[in-house]
Amino acid sequence: MGRVYNFSAGPAMLPEEVLRQAADEMLDYHGSGMSVMEMSHRGKVYDKIIKEAEQDFRELVGVPDNYRVLFLQGGGSTQFAMVPMNLTKNGTAAYVITGNWAKKAAEEAERYTKVVRVASSADKNYTYIPDCSDLDIPEEADYLYICENNTIYGTEYKTLPNTKGHVLVADVSSNFLSRPIDVTKYGMFFGGVQKNVGPAGVTIAVIREDLIRDDLPAYVPTMLRYKTHADKDSLYNTPPCYNIYVCGLVFQWLKKQGGLEAMDQRNKAKAKIFYDYLDSSSLFKGTVEPKDRSYMNAPFVTGDKELDALFVKEAEAQGLVSLKGHRTVGGMRASMYNAMPVEGVEKLVEFMKDFEARH
């Protein structure tokens, strides 16, 4: 059927231009006579690839010199353990629970530190972001942890919490590089790249240098210390070389698109097309409080499970794939990451209008 519009929550669609470039360079990267998949991570050619990728990322995001950019493995889920292992000094951490991933992160952290859940939206099945302007954060908390965009539930922080002087740690996996951010507001943020940045297998962590410690407890494994990776510029062991290379191509693509300001405008425009129709529809309903809606992930339902299943099936036949919602919300979910062109969202809305007219 040719290329489809892939609304998957992740792994998600990549820019076609990037895929074509990777295909062109597959057998012979820049005259090296080999694929990036085959070359040594210690060789000069690859060293240039990873250093340029980091430099492009720093320029895109505006990463200050006193922050390190680390290309890690293990997905966002490994960070659930690395964060408390590396940042615990006083033995307490504060977490805001806005969905599955914040919940899992807090549960994992409890293996290593005392966790205080300072706010939660579990009471309404995570359909909103709690007010974080005046949280009761314990004085001794080593950090405040949030999941900035909740892929499953379709909520997104529009303003960061008032940390009251505490270090802010954010999981940004699903709104990574979708808009400009002020890095200095974070002690660290991290994201698995498979939603908005590249192929699964890389996690990018941005961490302020003073948080990279070498006085950690002996039990913290070598590979789970930020210092291990920072000291070796993400080349302590063999990194996911090819995936980092593709991320680097995506960074170049983003720069060509006009950077994160341009992506922000595009993503808001795409989300507006979708949400404007959703709000006018008598068949489809959104599941999230409008003020907290994510620009990346939009869950919606008809209220009839059989109708939802029919919608997903018929949409797939139209080349609109991966629209089935997460089991905890049900219904449908449209993920509209950077690589989703506006035409994809327009086609989805057209199909929704047609489906509504028929049902």
Side-chain angles (χ1 to χ4, degrees):
M1 74 191 305
R3 297 257 319 148
V4 295
Y5 290 115
N6 175 10
F7 290 92
S8 168
M13 70 189 297
L14 285 161
E16 197 168 324
E17 198 179 308
V18 166
L19 294 174
R20 288 189 190 284
Q21 187 176 343
D24 286 345
E25 296 174 347
M26 176 58 86
L27 292 175
D28 179 6
Y29 176 78
H30 293 204
S32 65
M34 55 184 158
S35 173
V36 177
M37 280 187 189
E38 306 168 295
M39 59 181 57
S40 165
H41 63 297
R42 303 280 179 221
K44 277 190 180 137
V45 182
Y46 189 73
D47 197 57
K48 188 164 184 270
I49 290 172
I50 192 169
K51 288 201 164 59
E52 281 183 358
E54 179 182 335
Q55 195 48 45
D56 285 337
F57 177 86
R58 283 181 169 276
E59 284 171 22
L60 268 172
V61 180
V63 180
D65 289 344
N66 64 325
Y67 284 74
R68 298 301 298 272
V69 175
L70 308 176
F71 295 102
L72 306 172
Q73 300 178 59
S77 298
T78 299
Q79 295 306 306
F80 298 169
M82 275 182 88
V83 166
M85 279 181 177
N86 283 268
L87 301 190
T88 296
K89 274 185 173 170
N90 303 325
T92 301
Y95 279 66
V96 180
I97 313 299
T98 50
N100 273 26
W101 302 112
K103 183 168 169 264
K104 284 187 167 148
E107 285 163 3
E108 184 72 11
E110 280 178 317
R111 296 168 182 262
Y112 311 104
T113 191
K114 180 184 163 201
V115 169
V116 181
R117 292 162 176 81
V118 290
S120 170
S121 52
D123 60 331
K124 294 186 181 167
N125 198 33
Y126 305 120
T127 52
Y128 69 102
I129 297 287
D131 177 5
C132 295
S133 60
D134 189 19
L135 297 170
D136 190 8
I137 304 169
E139 199 48 51
E140 71 279 12
D142 290 308
Y143 59 88
L144 172 69
Y145 182 104
I146 64 169
C147 180
E148 207 166 302
N149 184 85
N150 299 285
T151 324
I152 291 174
Y153 296 95
T155 58
E156 182 173 14
Y157 284 78
K158 299 299 194 297
T159 48
L160 293 174
N162 174 3
T163 64
K164 299 182 174 173
H166 293 85
V167 168
L168 179 65
V169 176
D171 173 353
V172 300
S173 295
S174 50
N175 62 350
F176 220 178
L177 301 185
S178 66
R179 54 185 167 76
I181 62 166
D182 177 357
V183 176
T184 62
K185 290 192 170 150
Y186 303 83
M188 81 167 281
F189 59 87
F190 67 85
V193 302
Q194 70 277 5
K195 298 167 184 292
N196 214 18
V197 186
V202 186
T203 301
I204 298 174
V206 177
I207 179 166
R208 209 171 61 217
E209 277 178 347
D210 61 292
L211 298 173
I212 300 173
R213 295 160 47 202
D214 55 8
D215 61 340
L216 297 177
Y219 75 81
V220 181
T222 302
M223 283 299 289
L224 297 186
R225 294 168 179 248
Y226 293 125
K227 187 164 172 42
T228 300
H229 303 283
D231 284 352
K232 299 290 186 194
D233 295 326
S234 302
L235 291 163
Y236 173 79
N237 69 327
T238 311
C241 299
Y242 191 79
N243 305 25
I244 292 169
Y245 150 74
V246 179
C247 289
L249 297 182
V250 172
F251 303 152
Q252 289 168 15
W253 178 80
L254 286 167
K255 284 170 84 172
K256 272 197 292 198
Q257 303 302 307
L260 301 190
E261 282 84 1
M263 292 321 295
D264 187 34
Q265 287 167 3
R266 270 168 60 169
N267 289 326
K268 282 177 177 162
K270 286 187 299 196
K272 184 174 179 356
I273 291 168
F274 181 82
Y275 287 128
D276 281 356
Y277 166 67
L278 192 64
D279 289 338
S280 71
S281 170
S282 49
L283 177 63
F284 299 104
K285 303 273 178 291
T287 58
V288 172
E289 282 195 15
K291 69 176 173 36
D292 297 324
R293 283 172 172 170
S294 165
Y295 294 121
M296 297 285 103
N297 313 98
F300 57 105
V301 297
T302 63
D304 176 338
K305 281 183 180 163
E306 282 175 17
L307 206 54
D308 287 349
L310 181 67
F311 176 87
V312 171
K313 190 176 167 209
E314 286 190 7
E316 196 156 309
Q318 299 290 321
L320 304 162
V321 307
S322 304
L323 281 162
K324 189 175 190 296
H326 191 273
R327 63 185 179 280
T328 54
V329 178
M332 288 71 68
R333 170 178 51 179
S335 294
M336 302 172 282
Y337 299 126
N338 283 343
M340 173 61 69
V342 68
E343 295 78 25
V345 180
E346 287 168 348
K347 190 173 174 188
L348 173 61
V349 168
E350 283 309 308
F351 174 70
M352 289 169 76
K353 285 177 179 166
D354 173 60
F355 190 88
E356 180 167 348
R358 289 183 286 118
H359 296 279

